[in-house]
């Protein structure tokens, strides 16, 4: 029996597996293809559970005795059902699940998931702890941001744009562009990243926002600032 069970071996699960001790965890999969890929990557503790989620199969791999279950199935609905089933079989186990869908966050909480890895729910406090641990930063980059379209980006404030001279709490970047503001590089205060917390920072031209979001949204914000300046200078 392994203390940790990783469910799935898709692109997200592969990134997680890279950081786990091969001797202490088991990979449980629901497809022969993922089983073959895990074997090819050198993992020895692998269990194929069939094509669907059954209590008896989860029990057979030691879910009732394990301490951690990491749910990383690519199919969101199946991943949710897996988390629910695991919680029903073991009320004490620590369940970690990854989701790319905001609508599933509340559902995972209701399902009894202890930790939810969600690309759009990274706060300044979490980033602060991440920046102090390089290994964790690499983990977040490879796991949370494994989607090619999701990036860390730097956005320079354009002079006379709709962000120039505005305060962080007054702009609606997160709502209008679906971007999470992580920090700011203030040209007047310091050349170091200041994490966004309780301080209502005033934005000025040439300040740089550090954000997380989709590439298209990052580019849209940059374009909108340029277009704003052109329009209002006519």
């Amino acid at each position: 029996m392994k203390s940790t069970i990783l469910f799935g071996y898709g692109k997200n699960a592969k990134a997680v597996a890279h950081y786990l001790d091969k001797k202490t965890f088991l990979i449980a999969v629901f497809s022969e293809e993922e089983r073959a890929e895990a074997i090819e990557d050198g993992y020895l503790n692998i269990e194929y559970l069939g094509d669907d989620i059954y209590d008896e199969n989860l029990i057979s791999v030691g879910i009732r005795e394990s301490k951690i279950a990491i749910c990383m199935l690519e199919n969101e609905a199946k991943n949710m059902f897996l988390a629910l089933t695991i919680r029903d079989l073991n009320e004490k186990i620590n369940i970690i699940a990854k989701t790319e869908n905001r609508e599933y966050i509340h559902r995972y909480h209701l399902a009894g998931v202890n930790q939810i890895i969600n690309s759009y729910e990274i706060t300044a406090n979490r980033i602060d702890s991440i920046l102090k641990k390089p290994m964790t930063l690499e983990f977040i980059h490879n796991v949370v941001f494994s989607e090619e379209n999701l990036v860390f980006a730097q956005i320079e404030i354009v002079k006379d744009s709709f962000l120039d001279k505005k305060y962080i709490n007054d702009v609606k970047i997160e709502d209008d562009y679906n971007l999470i503001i992580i920090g700011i590089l203030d040209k007047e205060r310091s050349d170091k990243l200041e994490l966004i917390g309780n301080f209502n920072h005033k934005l000025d031209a040439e300040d740089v926002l550090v954000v997380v979001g989709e590439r298209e949204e990052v580019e849209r914000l940059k374009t909108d600032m340029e277009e704003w300046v052109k329009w209002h200078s006519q």
Side-chain angles (χ1 to χ4, degrees), residues 13-55:
K14 288 179 181 179
V16 172
H18 178 73
Y19 288 90
L20 299 176
D21 185 343
K22 290 184 178 182
K23 297 178 181 179
T24 62
F25 82 101
L26 169 74
I27 297 176
V29 297
F30 295 92
S31 78
E32 286 285 10
E33 181 181 353
E34 289 190 352
R35 176 176 178 273
E37 289 181 6
I39 293 173
E40 185 177 347
D41 288 342
Y43 294 100
L44 302 176
N45 300 313
I46 308 165
E47 288 286 345
Y48 171 58
L49 304 183
D51 298 326
D52 213 337
I53 299 168
Y54 297 106
D55 289 9

Side-chain angles (χ1 to χ4, degrees):
M1 187 271 295
K2 299 298 180 182
S3 62
T4 300
I5 303 178
L6 171 64
F7 289 92
Y9 198 68
K11 57 185 177 181
N12 297 320
K14 288 179 181 179
V16 172
H18 178 73
Y19 288 90
L20 299 176
D21 185 343
K22 290 184 178 182
K23 297 178 181 179
T24 62
F25 82 101
L26 169 74
I27 297 176
V29 297
F30 295 92
S31 78
E32 286 285 10
E33 181 181 353
E34 289 190 352
R35 176 176 178 273
E37 289 181 6
I39 293 173
E40 185 177 347
D41 288 342
Y43 294 100
L44 302 176
N45 300 313
I46 308 165
E47 288 286 345
Y48 171 58
L49 304 183
D51 298 326
D52 213 337
I53 299 168
Y54 297 106
D55 289 9
E56 54 267 31
N57 289 342
L58 296 179
I59 292 172
S60 70
V61 296
I63 199 64
R64 282 180 169 164
E65 296 77 34
S66 297
K67 295 181 179 179
I68 301 173
I70 307 175
C71 302
M72 289 282 170
L73 305 186
E74 298 296 302
N75 183 297
E76 192 83 75
K78 193 170 184 177
N79 204 49
M80 169 66 67
F81 182 66
L82 173 64
L84 278 166
T85 306
I86 292 173
R87 177 54 71 213
D88 184 56
L89 294 172
N90 187 340
E91 63 180 20
K92 295 182 179 179
I93 194 169
N94 184 14
I95 303 176
I96 302 170
K98 178 180 184 292
T99 179
E100 293 295 334
N101 192 331
R102 284 183 170 182
E103 295 179 0
Y104 272 84
I105 296 175
H106 183 59
R107 299 179 192 178
Y108 275 114
H109 281 302
L110 291 177
V113 172
N114 302 93
Q115 296 168 267
I116 301 171
I117 302 175
N118 177 260
S119 305
Y120 294 99
E121 294 297 318
I122 296 182
T123 65
N125 288 336
R126 291 186 196 174
I127 293 297
D128 186 33
S129 63
I130 288 168
L131 292 176
K132 295 175 182 176
K133 301 176 182 178
M135 172 72 77
T136 309
L137 178 59
E138 185 179 356
F139 175 88
I140 291 293
H141 176 75
N142 288 318
V143 180
V144 179
F145 303 121
S146 58
E147 298 294 330
E148 293 183 359
N149 200 40
L150 202 64
V151 296
F152 276 115
Q154 296 184 9
I155 301 176
E156 183 174 323
I157 304 300
V158 177
K159 182 176 176 55
D160 296 327
S161 69
F162 54 84
L163 293 182
D164 189 14
K165 304 294 190 300
K166 295 295 192 303
Y167 284 87
I168 285 287
N169 291 351
D170 296 330
V171 299
K172 300 184 179 298
I173 294 176
E174 297 190 0
D175 294 332
D176 295 341
Y177 296 89
N178 206 24
L179 298 173
I180 302 297
I181 302 174
I182 301 303
I184 184 170
L185 295 168
D186 189 320
K187 63 182 181 64
E188 295 180 351
R189 291 167 57 91
S190 171
D191 60 353
K192 296 181 180 180
L193 175 66
E194 295 183 41
L195 298 172
I196 297 300
N198 296 325
F199 178 52
N200 190 15
H201 195 103
K202 181 174 177 288
L203 302 174
D204 295 300
E206 298 182 20
D207 285 350
V208 176
L209 289 176
V210 178
V211 303
V212 174
E214 295 182 355
R215 295 178 188 274
E216 289 83 357
E217 294 296 278
V218 171
E219 294 305 317
R220 184 164 71 90
L221 175 55
K222 291 179 180 179
T223 300
D224 285 355
M225 280 196 291
E226 296 287 352
E227 293 297 324
W228 173 280
V229 174
K230 290 179 182 179
W231 177 260
H232 288 80
S233 63
Q234 294 178 356

